[in-house]
Amino acid sequence: MTATLDTPTAQSDTAAAVTLSGVRKSFGHGAHAVTALDGVDLRVAPGEFVCLLGASGCGKSTLLNLVAGLDQPTAGSIELTTSRPAVMFQEAALMPWLTAARNVELPLRLAGLKRGPRRAKASELLSLVRLAEAGGKRPHELSGGMRQRVALARALASTLGSAEDGTPGLLLMDEPFAALDAITRDVLQAELVRVWRETSTAILFVTHDVREAVRLGQRVVLLSSRPGRVVREWSTAGVGGAADEAELISDVTAHLREVISGHAAA
Amino acid sequence: MPQPDTVDNDLAAVGAGLDALDAPPGEQRASPGKRFLRTALPPIIAFALLIGVWQALWALAFWPEYQLPAPAAVWAAVTEAVRSGRAFEVLWTSVHRAVLGFLTAVVIATPLGLLIAKVRVVRAAIGSLLTGLQSLPSVAWVPAGILWFGATPATIYFVVLMGSVPSIANGLVSGVDQIPPLLPRVGQALGAGKLAAARHILLPAALPGYLAGLKQGWAFSWRSLMAAEIIATSPQLGEGLGQYLHNGASLNDISMVIAAIFLILLVGVGIELLVFRPLERAVLRARGLTGALQ
């Protein structure tokens, strides 16, 4: 069965990894201002896996940048319980002059960790993404999937580096697998779910792929485009077999198409 | 339904297979003999051909001896200068000036380049001026230098700095400009402050461009030094390579002039091969930018 949540803030009594209320973001001034996001309310519980779905131009990436603190909202508030969310982009964006292990160490180094614990933590995280052997390699010696896994380890290191007190982390992912081939993406999606279970970080995952969103997320949130608003959300909790999944996928796809075709008329 | 454990193991196997298939193959290094054949032999042959043509032209006697000397006569001038120790004095005078001037230029140009690259007002104010200065032949500064500082080493260093500072600063600016915009954002997301970002992301990311600027800056300081030494001659300045060349011209000794040019080239090529080429190779190889290397 698929369940549709009527109220986006259904779990309002529990603590949240991040809470967005009435978030609005416009770029530019006056008549030329473009509103990317308008009145977005969203709550991600600790350890929850939320997929943010939308067509291009819906401000998904803008939303992640706001949560990551790379940008400031025009109005509304964003409350984080974690000290600093980790971010993973569509490109691995590893520093090309550092080895894989040094890349993972970088956020720990920036957080002022000593070399010994830094090394230990980095090799632990590399084994978590099954790259224990590749620590000494440079990014150009790795495949696209391996680079993205190093980026995942690095992102995890940045949450751990800032939250040594044990507060659960928050991982923001901006279409991290969009540039990978189908088989690699398949493997990485499963790896991500495994890592998520092992680390119990909350994940806010942006994608335009309905199948990916339904497969990964506990909740799928659909954003409208220009300006981005939360249109509707689904829980994948009741989804058991392939038939259920297919049904949910077609339901979400139908809504996504509706949102997109609304723009043709306007 | 399969057990989660086996699914996990299957996945690991598929993942490992993908890693093995997708990872780019390691680069293959040729044997030392082959490398020698490929890199050292062509310039040696080119040099030999040049000498051969020169020798032939001289033998045909198209030009009088005082315009085109025999290769052997030039070689004699070089060996004579080396035997008497004059070559080393002259080389030392010039090379230590160039190195000192170059290092001073690095110290001035590096913060200047960073300022221009990162502070918009500074870039708007002096960015184009610096690019303009780069195309101004530094010989043009020699007369002004002589009027301001007299025929002293200060003039020489002034000309060297005017020649190399713009190149180095511009190299750093273009190095910073060519950093993929995602990298500083990643740095910010990983929690780097302004200074930490400069130290851990900006400077290392700009290193290839900076290195290119340094290389050009060295070439310009060597060039400027020669220009200054050829034009500004006085007992105070001692005898550098430029003065040696100037003396050759005054004595109508074409062998000495060509010997001087040969020595000037030798220093240029030597520094390039001994300092900049290995540095550049190390930096580019570490980043997988081996296209231009062999």
Side-chain angles (χ1 to χ4, degrees):
Chain A
M1 264 309 290
T2 62
T4 304
L5 299 177
D6 292 324
T7 46
T9 49
Q11 321 99 315
S12 56
D13 38 352
T14 56
V18 60
T19 312
L20 288 82
S21 24
V23 168
R24 188 185 142 81
K25 176 72 188 175
S26 355
F27 295 101
H29 300 283
H32 298 289
V34 175
T35 306
L37 295 168
D38 196 13
V40 173
D41 295 303
L42 184 69
R43 172 185 289 266
V44 180
E48 194 185 11
F49 199 138
V50 175
C51 284
L52 215 52
L53 188 70
S56 18
C58 72
K60 295 169 291 192
S61 302
T62 310
L63 187 66
L64 275 203
N65 286 343
L66 293 179
V67 178
L70 298 175
D71 222 338
Q72 298 304 315
T74 315
S77 72
I78 297 172
E79 281 168 50
L80 287 161
T81 48
T82 43
S83 27
R84 189 188 328 110
V87 194
M88 218 179 128
F89 300 93
Q90 184 174 335
E91 289 160 61
L94 301 175
M95 307 299 159
W97 58 92
L98 295 175
T99 61
R102 290 301 171 91
N103 263 292
V104 178
E105 278 180 43
L106 186 60
L108 304 169
R109 195 166 174 191
L110 292 169
L113 221 66
K114 289 255 182 328
R115 178 181 286 201
R118 209 164 70 200
R119 290 267 157 87
K121 194 82 231 174
S123 73
E124 188 184 305
L125 285 167
L126 278 174
S127 0
L128 179 68
V129 295
R130 299 198 224 255
L131 281 175
E133 309 295 310
K137 294 205 169 170
R138 309 255 178 191
H140 70 268
E141 298 169 306
L142 302 172
S143 71
M146 291 162 97
R147 273 180 231 159
Q148 213 43 298
R149 269 143 67 203
V150 176
L152 175 59
R154 184 178 64 179
L156 289 171
S158 78
T159 51
L160 296 170
S162 59
E164 283 296 291
D165 50 353
T167 50
L170 172 64
L171 182 54
L172 307 172
M173 308 182 87
D174 190 357
E175 305 195 27
F177 306 143
L180 300 173
D181 64 275
I183 299 181
T184 308
R185 184 170 8 175
D186 227 38
V187 171
L188 282 199
Q189 284 172 350
E191 289 278 327
L192 176 63
V193 170
R194 185 179 59 80
V195 168
W196 168 61
R197 293 221 170 94
E198 281 179 35
T199 56
S200 71
T201 35
I203 298 182
L204 187 55
F205 188 101
V206 160
T207 179
H208 59 254
D209 181 350
V210 177
R211 201 170 291 276
E212 183 174 61
V214 169
R215 181 180 174 194
L216 293 175
Q218 293 177 300
R219 255 197 308 150
V220 177
V221 175
L222 178 63
L223 281 185
S224 65
S225 300
R226 279 177 217 155
R229 281 196 189 95
V230 176
V231 176
R232 202 182 153 119
E233 56 178 87
W234 293 264
S235 162
T236 59
V239 179
D244 267 5
E245 194 174 291
E247 190 190 330
L248 181 55
I249 287 171
S250 64
D251 187 30
V252 176
T253 307
H255 276 89
L256 180 58
R257 287 200 175 142
E258 204 176 292
V259 164
I260 295 170
S261 48
H263 283 273
Chain B
M1 204 170 160
Q3 292 300 303
D5 258 8
T6 41
V7 170
D8 221 35
N9 285 340
D10 286 353
L11 188 70
V14 174
L18 279 176
D19 288 353
L21 288 173
D22 287 348
E27 69 185 281
Q28 275 154 15
R29 302 204 66 176
S31 65
K34 268 204 175 137
R35 279 225 305 284
F36 174 79
L37 276 183
R38 231 169 29 193
T39 59
L41 206 56
I44 291 174
I45 292 175
F47 187 69
L49 275 177
L50 186 73
I51 299 285
V53 170
W54 178 7
Q55 178 72 35
L57 284 177
W58 172 78
L60 289 173
F62 279 139
W63 296 284
E65 189 82 23
Y66 65 85
Q67 281 180 349
L68 186 74
V74 173
W75 184 243
V78 172
T79 45
E80 164 58 25
V82 169
R83 204 185 44 75
S84 67
R86 190 174 171 198
F88 298 109
E89 279 169 41
V90 167
L91 276 175
W92 169 247
T93 309
S94 287
V95 169
H96 102 265
R97 272 180 191 158
V99 169
L100 216 65
F102 173 70
L103 291 180
T104 315
V106 171
V107 171
I108 296 172
T110 303
L112 184 67
L114 274 180
L115 267 180
I116 292 172
K118 297 309 287 181
V119 184
R120 198 171 296 176
V121 186
V122 180
R123 181 187 290 234
I126 59 170
S128 332
L129 178 68
L130 205 71
T131 314
L133 278 179
Q134 209 179 345
S135 56
L136 180 77
S138 40
V139 197
W141 292 108
V142 179
I146 291 176
L147 290 177
W148 289 334
F149 307 109
T152 61
T155 299
I156 301 233
Y157 286 118
F158 168 71
V159 175
V160 169
L161 286 182
M162 291 315 284
S164 53
V165 166
S167 295
I168 300 173
N170 266 330
L172 184 53
V173 170
S174 67
V176 171
D177 285 351
Q178 283 168 18
I179 298 176
L182 191 54
L183 293 187
R185 278 166 57 80
V186 167
Q188 209 185 340
L190 295 179
K194 272 233 156 71
L195 269 181
R199 154 83 184 77
H200 291 290
I201 290 148
L202 217 60
L203 281 176
L207 190 57
Y210 182 49
L211 208 58
L214 286 180
K215 197 167 130 178
Q216 204 191 26
W218 162 258
F220 273 51
S221 55
W222 185 237
R223 242 199 234 191
S224 316
L225 176 71
M226 288 307 113
E229 283 187 349
I230 291 170
I231 299 179
T233 46
S234 84
Q236 260 179 298
L237 288 173
E239 192 185 30
L241 266 174
Q243 281 97 4
Y244 177 71
L245 195 153
H246 183 85
N247 291 345
S250 312
L251 295 170
N252 267 337
D253 184 350
I254 187 69
S255 303
M256 192 168 155
V257 168
I258 292 185
I261 291 176
F262 173 73
L263 287 175
I264 293 171
L265 265 176
L266 196 70
V267 172
V269 173
I271 298 276
E272 157 75 18
L273 286 183
L274 292 178
V275 181
F276 289 104
R277 185 78 60 89
L279 257 178
E280 207 172 23
R281 255 165 202 263
V283 167
L284 293 184
R285 195 180 291 275
R287 288 158 204 243
L289 303 169
T290 45
L293 310 172
Q294 282 150 2

